[in-house]
Amino acid sequence: MNRFLLVFSVFMGTLILSCTGNNEKQSIENIQGSWVFDTATLPDIGSGRVISKIRDNCGFEFRMDSCNMSCAFYRKSESNVCDGMTTGFRTNFDIKKDSLRIWDVERKSWHIYLIKNLTKDSLILFDQNMNYDVAYCRPSSSKNNSFDGIFFSKVFVGVGYTCVDESFYFDRQGNYYYQNSEDELSAYRFNQKMVDRIFHAYDRLDVGSLKSEYIGGGTGPSLHYSISFIRNGTVIKRVIDHQNTGPDELLQAYIVMISNLKKYKAEKVNVDHKMSKLAREESQIFYQKMGLKKRGLK
């Protein structure tokens, strides 16, 4: 009898390990590819405003045994809090039983998510850092967006102080305008290769479906953006994104854009009067909505 129990125990143990291994293999197969935050889960509070969950990434891209965190909220040092997010990173991941583990290159440790649901088209994770569920879906196909320019204003709000940071404008002709924290406006021009690279990041974004305001629920120091889409010199859509809680397709696009504009050199040109006026108006609207005062542009 004892011999039978021993054989049975070994058999059941082998069966359980085999099933666990198969489940993990199936999960890794299902998770391959790109995932973005499922904005259908956002509570609507009226006037084009929604409450969004703060996330530690802007989507995932799994390829074999690696994960691309294209704009993970990653900071190289504690001293650059007004510089916003840096470009993301590629790192290792695995799935153990019901947990997704992604290696955090900043903290040098595993970031563990509990997998609540995983199919080929749906992913629900319990984020142990945030202590709530976050739903992801597959990104939609490319959109035919008709905007020809994009304008950003950024402000960092800390505990007891505000860092009125910078503004950016970029268009399909390669015109780039940068306004620093001293309200000085400089003009540059990029080549077509850079233009194509930046606007390619917007291919998955459906501008018409964006809400006017994405409100995060976090506390403490926070970063806020105003993103305006422009056609023929007129704003066709303005979005305020608090604490990087907008759709992942939006975050992936403007973080790549700002990172590239800061990274590469361009030809300096004269400031256009119409562009200067647009920059002033857009930044003023944003700071007013944030309840802040903004000096006029020089």
Side-chain angles (χ1 to χ4, degrees):
M1 185 68 175
N2 290 339
R3 182 180 178 186
F4 171 77
L5 288 176
L6 177 62
V7 172
F8 180 75
S9 298
V10 171
F11 171 76
M12 290 302 297
T14 303
L15 181 62
I16 291 171
L17 288 174
S18 176
C19 291
T20 300
N22 289 335
N23 289 339
E24 291 174 356
K25 182 179 179 181
Q26 182 65 43
S27 294
I28 290 177
E29 290 177 356
N30 284 342
I31 209 170
Q32 296 294 307
S34 299
W35 297 91
V36 294
F37 176 63
D38 187 358
T39 57
T41 64
L42 297 181
D44 192 329
I45 58 175
S47 301
R49 304 163 75 236
V50 292
I51 300 290
S52 186
K53 292 179 177 178
I54 293 178
R55 310 179 293 284
D56 64 353
N57 61 78
C58 63
F60 305 99
E61 184 182 3
F62 298 98
R63 292 286 182 264
M64 302 299 289
D65 58 355
S66 69
C67 176
N68 182 32
M69 310 283 281
S70 61
C71 55
F73 300 169
Y74 172 62
R75 202 170 60 205
K76 291 183 178 179
S77 69
E78 292 294 327
S79 61
N80 67 343
V81 291
C82 286
D83 290 340
M85 295 179 295
T86 62
T87 305
F89 49 84
R90 184 172 292 279
T91 186
N92 295 328
F93 88 95
D94 62 26
I95 292 177
K96 297 294 185 184
K97 296 183 179 178
D98 58 356
S99 295
L100 166 66
R101 306 193 311 165
I102 299 177
W103 182 253
D104 189 321
V105 300
E106 181 183 20
R107 295 181 176 87
K108 309 298 182 186
S109 62
W110 288 104
H111 188 132
I112 300 176
Y113 305 87
L114 176 65
I115 300 174
K116 303 289 287 290
N117 181 61
L118 172 58
T119 66
K120 288 187 177 296
D121 299 308
S122 176
L123 173 64
I124 300 177
L125 300 175
F126 177 77
D127 191 321
Q128 296 184 4
N129 285 358
M130 304 297 181
N131 202 34
Y132 48 62
D133 293 344
V134 181
Y136 295 89
C137 60
R138 297 297 186 182
S140 59
S141 59
S142 299
K143 304 296 180 180
N144 182 23
N145 291 313
S146 59
F147 61 90
D148 52 40
I150 311 163
F151 188 88
F152 297 84
S153 287
K154 181 176 73 172
V155 62
F156 179 84
V157 179
V159 179
Y161 68 97
T162 297
C163 174
V164 178
D165 206 353
E166 51 197 347
S167 297
F168 306 81
Y169 170 83
F170 194 75
D171 64 28
R172 294 185 189 272
Q173 286 71 50
N175 297 308
Y176 167 44
Y177 289 81
Y178 172 71
Q179 175 190 333
N180 62 21
S181 59
E182 299 298 321
D183 297 326
E184 298 168 332
L185 187 66
S186 301
Y188 304 87
R189 183 167 288 113
F190 278 105
N191 59 37
Q192 191 61 43
K193 183 178 180 180
M194 176 59 69
V195 174
D196 294 342
R197 177 185 301 176
I198 289 176
F199 276 92
H200 176 70
Y202 289 88
D203 285 348
R204 286 178 174 173
L205 180 65
D206 181 5
V207 172
S209 69
L210 292 173
K211 301 296 183 180
S212 62
E213 193 169 11
Y214 294 89
I215 303 172
T219 59
S222 53
L223 192 65
H224 309 266
Y225 277 97
S226 174
I227 307 108
S228 297
F229 297 91
I230 298 164
R231 182 172 61 227
N232 298 327
T234 301
V235 175
I236 60 172
K237 186 82 173 189
R238 182 181 294 110
V239 180
I240 294 182
D241 182 14
H242 300 279
Q243 298 169 285
N244 305 112
T245 51
D248 287 341
E249 297 93 331
L250 176 63
L251 270 63
Q252 290 169 6
Y254 76 68
I255 289 170
V256 168
M257 173 178 173
I258 291 174
S259 176
N260 282 330
L261 291 177
K262 285 184 172 182
K263 182 177 179 181
Y264 295 100
K265 293 182 179 180
E267 175 191 3
K268 192 164 186 177
V269 297
N270 294 328
V271 174
D272 179 82
H273 175 70
K274 290 182 179 179
M275 190 62 250
S276 176
K277 183 175 182 294
L278 177 63
R280 179 185 295 108
E281 291 173 348
E282 285 303 300
S283 59
Q284 288 285 4
I285 289 171
F286 175 47
Y287 293 116
Q288 287 171 6
K289 286 182 177 292
M290 291 293 297
L292 303 170
K293 291 183 180 181
K294 179 69 174 174
R295 297 186 302 272
L297 294 176
K298 295 181 180 179

